[in-house]
Amino acid sequence: MIEAILGPGDLPTLKITNAAATATVCLMGAHVLTYQPAGQEEMLFLSSKSEYSQTGAPIRGGVPICWPWFGPAESSGIPGAKGGHGFARQCMWTVETTHEESENSSTVVLALTDDEDTRAIWPYAFKLTMEVTVGDALTMKLTTTNTGTTAFSYAQALHTYFAVGEIEKTTVKGFDGLAFKNKVAGSEAPNPQPGDVTFTEETDRIYFHAAGESVIVDPVKKREIHITKENSDTGVVWNPWIVKAQRMADFADDEYHNMVCVECCNVDYDAPTLQPGEAHTMTAVHQIKQA
Ligand code: BG6
């Protein structure tokens, strides 16, 4: 079943229920808020302090869409641009299609196109679609089409917040030996990742040539979350840890214990350029497996 409901903050939301899983997708930002496979715990983290606003701060948790830039507005290269991680997560998207393929799989497609407001921030014509398939995995396909007459470059991320039992006991596999930019240390020189990623302090890293599978190993929840993707060569791992958590108004001080972001991206050298008429799709698949 696919129902239109009022979600948190009375924001328009789709509730998707089938035999394999339930999920909610908010039209504000085409934001996946929850995904819970049948008989299992929720996969995503959503902050108890998140705002749910039509005009204010973006939603803290779930799967924010970062587009058409990643990081602070200055990184967009657009004079006067405002807002971290682009504007797509603060726009109201429309429902393009909904489809129930089988009793175990349902798909919704949300769309966003440029208008006067987006062109005032970022002067290009585009169509964005977010296809969310809810089944025994959560599959998301973010497609950007250049509908204008000028080429553009953009960066993007599916900035998934995963729920974990205890961050100190969580490891992330799949980045061993990969070069990364350490955003906490401010180091531009890529360092190779030594083994699995573990968490003892604020962690904010962009991994390069990270097209392969990564796995969140959670011994407390006794589960693994497998993350696979297509057309994404960069990945981000983020946990704000103690001090940054305290600085974030929309995040409780102790919530850093129970989340980790592992993000499927096209950032840095991996940022796509689209000629007029061209399209690009990045796909991310998240699946829980019992450990
Ligand atoms: C991560 C970035 O992707 O998102 C971090 O690497 C940033 O640097 C984090 O702090 C959260 O960003 P925001 O804009 O949602 O607070």
Side-chain angles (χ1 to χ4, degrees), residues 25 33 60 93 98 104 112 133 225 246 251 268:
V25 183
L33 299 174
R60 176 71 67 196
W93 294 46
T98 64
N104 292 313
L112 180 70
T133 299
I225 301 173
Q246 289 167 348
F251 189 87
D268 204 274

Side-chain angles (χ1 to χ4, degrees), residues 60 70 85 89 159 161 183 204 236 238 244 263:
R60 176 71 67 196
F70 181 83
H85 289 332
R89 63 180 178 167
H159 188 308
Y161 287 71
K183 290 174 74 180
D204 192 355
V236 167
W238 180 62
K244 191 158 183 178
E263 307 168 32

